[in-house]
Amino acid sequence: MKLWGGRFTQRADEIMEQFNTSLPIDYRLYHEDIQGSLAHVEMLATCNIITAEERHQLKSGLQTILQDIETGTLEIKGEYEDVHSFVEMQLTERIGETGKKLHTARSRNDQVAVDMRLHAKNKALEVAKGLEMLMTSLSTKGAENNVIMPGYTHLQRAQVVTFGHHLGAYVEMFKRDNKRITNAIEVMDENPLGCGALAGTTHDIDRTITTAILGFAKPVNNFLDGVSDRDYLLELMADFSIIMMHLSRLSEELILWSSQEFKFITMADAYSTGSSIMPQKKNPDAAELIRGKTGRVYGSLFALLTTLKGLPLTYNKDMQEDKEQFFDALDTVLDCMEIMSKMIDTLTVNADHMKAAIQAGFLNATEVADYLVSKGTAFRDAHEIVGKLIIYCEQEKKAIEELTLSELKRFSSQLTDDIYDYIDYETIITKGNKKLMLENS
Ligand code: ARG
């Protein structure tokens, strides 16, 4: 069933019908499609292009279709080209001849453009909510477990930090992701309805009316651009890719931390799986899947970039491919944020193992050098002295703070009794935190 056919004498091949249809993908746009049509009808009536009676018939017909879809009485399926054809044909079936007036002064090109913008705007807000949830989980878990842990560079124990500060780094990343999403919403907030197929319309329409009803900031400036632009999807998908990259780094850390080698955290059973052969195993599958699905979201971004790159203005059917990529990237990022948030909420922190890793790692070596600098030694010399001290500690199998003062003095006469407090891990953390608080205030 098609919205066109006047100039055709032959039926489309069945395989062509299947190849061409986007209904199994774009059925998701039904709400925005009907919302857009309702606004369009209101505009047509206000501009005296249809009568008040026609407005009433069209609107109540559209509203019943929406209701029937939402209550499950009307299933979106059948041999339709797309969701736009489905809704329009349903309408004509229900209200008769007046239904055929719905598409006055409109093309499917501006129709699909407005549907996608509305959908992308709504979904971007959902993504922002997902980020908020994630940030709450991370901040809460960090505050409840602000215990001392090793910080790493090159995955080698480097300096002492706290678990709260480590998770706080991800909060900052997701905060920036949230800003990017908010900015993308602002950039895309323009109404393409009224651009027609590509060149506007000779009907005396008023685009400000649909703009106000649909809640856009303004109508688009250029008709050709209005029906061709899919940048806003690319921008969101780039933002989703960055979110996934951040989630993937966090997943990698959760996987490492929950390993037998680290034992810093224990993941809840609810987000782990077992092995079919090794009874002792508990695998961090949820984190691994998030890490794995990151590639899929990057892939969607690149697929759409590639689809769009050689297209002449304006609409080309290639652009129908935008939906599958966008929906898949969107579903993936929404699911991954939710799972990550729940995984964070339910993991337990093994503070003892974190502390043990610090003691074995000379994580206060930098502070010994800083101490020497405070006593007048040049930093380069202090670095050298502490290097020698570490070799000694390794030979003796002792931590720096376990050495006696006379042992310490062999390396520098400037090392006196107050060194023990200076390089105490709690002191280091407290000093660092105070400094951070001052800088942030
Ligand atoms: N299903 C189409 C899409 O998603 C709708 C627009 C069709 N326009 C056209 N001129 N064939 O792109």
Side-chain angles (χ1 to χ4, degrees), residues 26-78:
D26 66 17
Y27 70 91
R28 294 193 192 208
L29 295 175
Y30 77 86
H31 196 282
E32 289 83 359
D33 194 69
I34 295 175
Q35 190 189 0
S37 288
L38 285 168
H40 183 64
V41 168
E42 186 57 37
M43 183 280 292
L44 290 176
T46 312
C47 296
N48 297 316
I49 299 170
I50 58 169
T51 66
E53 174 52 26
E54 286 164 345
R55 161 173 45 195
H56 173 71
Q57 281 183 19
L58 287 165
K59 278 189 146 182
S60 47
L62 286 165
Q63 269 145 0
T64 58
I65 295 173
L66 182 59
Q67 217 170 36
D68 290 353
I69 295 173
E70 305 223 296
T71 54
T73 15
L74 177 62
E75 253 189 276
I76 311 179
K77 60 172 199 199

Side-chain angles (χ1 to χ4, degrees), residues 40 43 103-114 117 190-203 205-208 210-211 214 218-230 314-315:
H40 183 64
M43 183 280 292
H103 213 50
T104 313
R106 189 178 72 170
S107 154
R108 267 185 304 163
N109 296 353
D110 58 346
Q111 186 178 358
V112 72
V114 79
R117 290 240 191 183
E190 296 184 356
N191 178 21
L193 190 58
C195 292
L198 76 160
T201 168
T202 47
H203 289 287
I205 64 164
D206 183 349
R207 292 189 295 141
T208 64
T210 52
T211 301
L214 297 173
K218 62 188 278 288
V220 297
N221 284 335
N222 183 293
F223 297 144
L224 305 183
D225 181 47
V227 292
S228 306
D229 174 25
R230 299 291 183 274
T314 53
Y315 180 82

Side-chain angles (χ1 to χ4, degrees), residues 22 26 82 84 108-109 112 315 317 319-320 323:
S22 54
D26 66 17
D82 48 32
H84 325 295
R108 267 185 304 163
N109 296 353
V112 72
Y315 180 82
K317 195 62 173 255
M319 289 154 80
Q320 178 164 285
K323 287 163 210 73

